[in-house]
């Protein structure tokens, strides 16, 4: 950045964020009440002032350049802080408001967040929450997300990762399946059973099955006639008696409690899986993001 940004550049930064979130100059113009040429001129002025080309432009799409992405990452949290300060000055009681975009994996969206959002939204009536299910977290900045909540180990990233909880991986089946096929007594018995498999998006095959007791790990060759790529169908197939499944305990609590599923080999269930929340710089975290993270932390502690 060869030159500093003056106060009159704030409008240009706001336009930049609108383009990133909308994915197009036309969409940004609609969100801001501007014409597409006006949006293009504002971005061009910002690029000239900063000395960085913000976007790759083609006839059909736009995307942030590497330099543009780094610049946007550095200013996005500051913009939200400015908006929050403005909001607080105008109406202190409505500071948790606006649009909050949340990136989730399918299981987190279906079983962790969606069933429990009503009290949070009632507490913050000025807030609009958009939950977007993604197989992978991707680039939160480029895709315009404020926060992500996902199971699994965090990948290297400039984002802040906050551990919310750890849950066991349990092996379970329906009572109907057990009545027909019996109960496996040791991990190797799983190889004689029908298993419902979960697709690993990184390989195209299914995730391997492991059983852990203390420090001892036993890997088994799980096979079956059905593979799915989401936890919802995995649980539905298991509940329907299709076979044995390995699922996060957090997803199965109510089914195990009411007897619709039975845990198998419970002494081999020491493997834990973490749930993380991801967000941008904590220094300039918006009130909406902070409130949402506090809500999710309280929810997962229960």
């Amino acid at each position: 950045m060869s030159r500093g940004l003056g106060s009159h550049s704030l409008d240009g930064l706001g336009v930049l964020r609108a383009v990133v979130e909308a994915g197009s100059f036309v969409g940004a113009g609609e969100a801001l009440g501007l014409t597409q040429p006006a949006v293009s001129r504002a971005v061009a002025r910002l690029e000239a002032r900063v000395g960085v080309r913000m976007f790759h432009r083609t006839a059909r799409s736009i995307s942030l350049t590497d330099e543009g992405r780094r610049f946007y990452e550095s200013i996005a949290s500051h913009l939200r802080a400015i908006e929050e300060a403005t909001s607080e000055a105008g109406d202190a009681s409505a500071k948790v408001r606006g649009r909050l975009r949340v990136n989730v994996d399918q299981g987190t969206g279906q079983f962790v967040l969606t069933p429990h959002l009503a009290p949070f939204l009632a507490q913050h009536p000025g807030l609009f929450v958009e939950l977007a299910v993604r197989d992978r977290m991707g680039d939160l900045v480029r895709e315009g997300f404020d926060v992500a909540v996902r199971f699994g180990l965090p990948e290297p990233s400039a984002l802040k990762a906050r551990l919310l909880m750890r849950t066991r991986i349990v092996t379970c089946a329906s009572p109907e399946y057990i009545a027909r096929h019996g109960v496996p007594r040791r991990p190797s018995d799983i190889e004689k059973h029908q298993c419902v498999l979960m697709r690993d998006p990184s390989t195209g095959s299914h995730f391997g099955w492991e059983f852990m007791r203390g420090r001892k790990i036993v890997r088994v060759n799980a096979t079956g006639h059905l593979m799915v790529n989401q936890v919802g169908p995995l649980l539905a197939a298991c509940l329907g008696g299709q076979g044995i499944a390995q699922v996060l305990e957090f997803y199965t609590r109510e089914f195990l409690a009411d007897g619709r599923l039975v845990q198998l080999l419970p002494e081999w269930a020491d493997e834990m899986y973490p749930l993380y929340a991801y967000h941008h710089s904590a220094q300039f975290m918006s009130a909406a993001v902070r409130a949402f993270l506090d809500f999710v932390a309280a929810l997962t502690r229960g």
Side-chain angles (χ1 to χ4, degrees):
M1 247 177 267
S2 59
R3 284 172 285 183
L5 289 174
S7 60
H8 63 284
S9 298
L10 288 175
D11 287 344
L13 297 176
V15 171
L16 172 65
R17 191 179 73 173
V19 174
V20 171
E21 293 182 349
S24 70
F25 286 9
V26 172
E30 291 175 351
L32 297 171
L34 300 174
T35 65
Q36 185 270 334
V39 172
S40 297
R41 287 193 298 271
V43 171
R45 287 194 298 269
L46 182 63
E47 289 176 325
R49 185 167 185 81
V50 176
V52 166
R53 184 183 180 191
M54 298 294 174
F55 295 102
H56 295 297
R57 300 169 176 86
T58 68
R60 295 186 176 181
S61 66
I62 63 168
S63 61
L64 283 168
T65 63
D66 288 342
E67 296 83 359
R69 179 178 57 80
R70 285 193 292 269
F71 176 76
Y72 184 70
E73 287 177 343
S74 71
I75 61 96
S77 59
H78 296 267
L79 284 176
R80 295 203 181 276
I82 292 169
E83 288 181 349
E84 181 179 336
T86 303
S87 173
E88 289 178 345
D91 183 2
S93 66
K95 63 178 181 178
V96 179
R97 65 180 184 182
R99 189 183 193 91
L100 186 72
R101 299 194 70 225
V102 184
N103 176 308
V104 295
D105 58 74
Q106 190 262 345
T108 299
Q110 181 174 349
F111 297 101
V112 179
L113 293 180
T114 308
H116 307 289
L117 272 174
F120 176 73
L121 294 175
Q123 184 180 359
H124 305 293
L127 186 64
F128 180 87
V129 175
E130 177 188 350
L131 289 183
V133 173
R134 297 286 192 275
D135 288 338
R136 296 174 178 271
M137 185 164 68
D139 188 329
L140 293 193
V141 172
R142 182 173 60 82
E143 298 184 44
F145 288 105
D146 301 292
V147 64
V149 184
R150 306 184 68 89
F151 274 106
L153 295 174
E155 299 178 1
S157 168
L159 298 170
K160 305 298 181 183
R162 174 179 176 181
L163 178 63
L164 296 171
M165 63 171 287
R166 289 187 176 91
T167 186
R168 295 180 186 277
I169 296 177
V170 298
T171 305
C172 52
S174 69
E176 292 76 17
Y177 178 88
I178 292 171
R180 293 197 310 269
H181 301 285
V183 176
R185 300 299 178 184
R186 58 187 65 85
S188 60
D189 291 346
I190 292 292
E191 298 184 355
K192 305 171 187 176
H193 284 263
Q194 280 292 313
C195 299
V196 185
L197 307 173
M198 175 72 86
R199 184 178 185 273
D200 181 346
S202 65
T203 66
S205 183
H206 65 83
F207 284 104
W209 282 40
E210 295 181 348
F211 292 85
M212 180 180 293
R213 184 168 63 186
R215 295 185 177 182
K216 186 175 182 179
I217 298 175
V218 175
R219 295 175 176 85
V220 302
N221 181 29
T223 59
H225 297 302
L226 177 64
M227 180 170 69
V228 300
N229 70 338
Q230 300 285 2
V231 69
L234 179 72
L235 274 170
C238 189
L239 288 163
Q242 177 68 34
I244 298 173
Q246 284 198 329
V247 198
L248 298 181
E249 185 181 28
F250 196 87
Y251 299 155
T252 63
R253 286 177 178 175
E254 67 173 282
F255 305 124
L256 293 171
D258 65 18
R260 280 181 286 172
L261 290 178
V262 176
Q263 184 177 357
L264 307 174
L265 302 168
E267 70 277 14
W268 285 93
D270 289 344
E271 183 179 2
M272 305 293 284
Y273 210 60
L275 178 68
Y276 279 91
Y278 302 86
H279 57 87
H280 306 294
S281 170
Q283 182 180 3
F284 295 100
M285 188 185 298
S286 72
V289 170
R290 186 176 295 109
F292 181 78
L293 290 175
D294 290 344
F295 157 72
V296 176
L299 179 65
T300 52
R301 280 197 300 270

